[in-house]
Each structure stands twice: as structure tokens, then as C-alpha cells.
Amino acid sequence: MSHVFTRALVRPPTANFADGLTTVTLGAPDFSRASAQHAAYCTALRACGLTVESLPPQPAYPDATFIEDTAVIVPGLAVLARPGASSRLGEVATVRDAVTRAVGTVREIVGPGTLDGGDVCEHGTHLFVGISHRTNEEGARQLAAEVGHTASTIDIRGVTSILHLKSGLVSVDDRLLVAIDALAKHPALAGHDVLRVAPGESYAANCVRVNTRVLVADGFPRLAAALKSRGFDPLPLGMSEFQKMDGGLSCLSLRF
Ligand code: CIR
């Protein structure tokens, strides 16, 4: 089951978090507010029943709090990613031991493949993999071969509002996807039940199903209401400081 988890790996932001990559123009993040939001995120994961392992902050890698991008974990297997941004490549070595301890069987994406975990949307036993400015076709091909799930790619390089596929497409259960308008009509989603986020709420698309709850960014009431009406139990979390660095809820943990 792709939404049932017992553990999570996280990494709090570093004081130089604002030195990370970003394409948005929302201003510089506030470190102490980011730390508080991260702590609340960890509390929420625990409230969902997860054991949370927190890795040490990495001042050499200001984006390392977005730990999801460093690996893809499916039942019984972890695939270490190969981030497409050169400043983030070294982050993989910093999670290798923890991922190996946690999962046991570890494979990895190798060059010329590149893959950011944020481009991988696991939906039941199918993988949607975003071809983005970070993830290339070769990375997507290697991932599908390692995981053994069926896979389809979605080219998001022309969708300027999102960095990664999961910024705009997530699976909330094995039958329901949440998507931004720009992705909802993609041929790869034909035949799937898709809940479209309302105009003006596209940041909220990056919600995270964790056991009986769905973590949602605070301040996007229409998505929370739509999820409730479908029988889900949203858990709102402040994300303002991570949004300033192009990050969403899923990026802040590896769940397994
Ligand atoms: C980056 O540009 O790589 C980071 N500042 C944000 C990464 C967000 N990760 C994600 O959506 N999975």
C-alpha cells in the first residue's frame, strides 16, 4: 500500500537555508520560522503514527532539508537519486547510511541519468515520473527498471509554475490523484480519477497522504474542503518559509 507508512527520515533546515536554490520571488525565508514550521511538520508525522528519524542539518547543502529529492523508497527497496542540480548532487552521500540502515536494499541512479525524488509520484503500483529541469529520461528509465513498477513519464519542462512533478500531481489513495490544471488533462492521467485544485490554490496540490491523514499546506481552504468531501482528513501545516525556496510538504521527508 503506497500510503501506509511507519517511518520517516527528515532533516531540519540549516541557518543558511536561504542560500538554497529558488525560482520564486516571495522574499527570503526566515530561519527561525522555517525551523518552527519544520518542527511542526515532524510533530504532525508523529501524530500520524510515524517514527521520525532526524538527520543532522547540512550547512554545506542549504537545500538538504528537501530530503525527498535524494531517494525514492518503495516497499523493500530504496533507490538513491542523482539530483539534477549540481549544488545538490553531494546530498545523496549524506543520506546513504541512514537509508541503508532503514531499508536494507539500496540501488542508485547513475550518470548520465539524473533524478530528483520530487519528480516521482507513486500511485498504487504505477510510477508517474516527471521529466523536468532536474530529472531526465535516462534517470526515469533507470528508476522504473529498478523498482519494477509500470511507469509513465510526464514532461513538465513547459509547466513553468512547478519545479517537480509532485509540486503539481500527487496520489492521495490508490484511486485518486490531486493535480493542478496544467497537468490534469495530461494523456498519462487518462482514465484516472483526478481532483483538480482550484485556481489560486496550485501550491496546495503538493499534499501528502500519511496513513489516515492528508497533510495540506495551511491557507488553501478549497482543497482542504474538497478532500474532506471525499472522506479524507486534512491536517493543515504552515509552509510559508519552504514555499519561498520552491519546496512543498512532500519534499520535507522520506516516508516508508
Ligand atoms: C531546489 O530547488 O532544489 C529546492 N530549493 C527545492 C526542492 C523542493 N523539492 C521538492 O519539491 N521535492
Side-chain angles (χ1 to χ4, degrees), residues 21 63 66 68-69 88 118 134 163-164 167 245-248 251:
L21 303 170
D63 279 315
F66 302 115
E68 173 183 67
D69 292 322
R88 302 199 59 191
R134 303 289 177 84
L163 175 66
H164 289 120
S167 318
M245 300 307 291
D246 258 335
C251 334

Side-chain angles (χ1 to χ4, degrees), residues 9 70-81 95-96 98-100 102-109 143 146-147 254 256:
L9 290 174
T70 60
V72 174
I73 302 180
V74 296
L77 173 71
V79 181
L80 292 172
V95 300
R96 181 184 295 270
V99 167
T100 304
V103 184
T105 306
V106 177
R107 315 290 298 205
E108 60 192 296
I109 304 297
L143 179 74
E146 293 293 3
V147 172
L254 283 165
F256 52 98

Side-chain angles (χ1 to χ4, degrees), residues 220-232:
F220 300 94
R222 283 180 288 180
L223 180 61
L227 287 168
K228 263 190 204 159
S229 75
R230 297 249 191 170
F232 296 101

Side-chain angles (χ1 to χ4, degrees), residues 160-221:
T160 52
S161 58
I162 54 174
L163 175 66
H164 289 120
L165 179 66
K166 261 202 316 262
S167 318
L169 177 71
V170 307
S171 169
V172 286
D173 72 16
D174 291 354
R175 290 172 310 283
L176 182 65
L177 294 158
V178 172
I180 59 171
D181 274 346
L183 296 179
K185 287 271 169 60
H186 192 282
L189 306 188
H192 289 277
D193 192 8
V194 178
L195 172 61
R196 295 164 80 128
V197 295
E201 291 209 353
S202 55
Y203 177 74
N206 183 255
C207 55
V208 186
R209 173 76 186 279
V210 185
N211 301 337
T212 62
R213 309 296 304 268
V214 183
L215 312 185
V216 290
D218 198 12
F220 300 94

Side-chain angles (χ1 to χ4, degrees), residues 13-22 27-32 34 59 61-63 65-66 241-242 244-245:
T14 59
N16 61 348
F17 170 58
D19 294 340
L21 303 170
T22 191
D30 178 85
F31 171 62
S32 57
Y61 299 107
D63 279 315
T65 190
F66 302 115
E241 305 316 294
F242 298 102
K244 291 172 182 170
M245 300 307 291

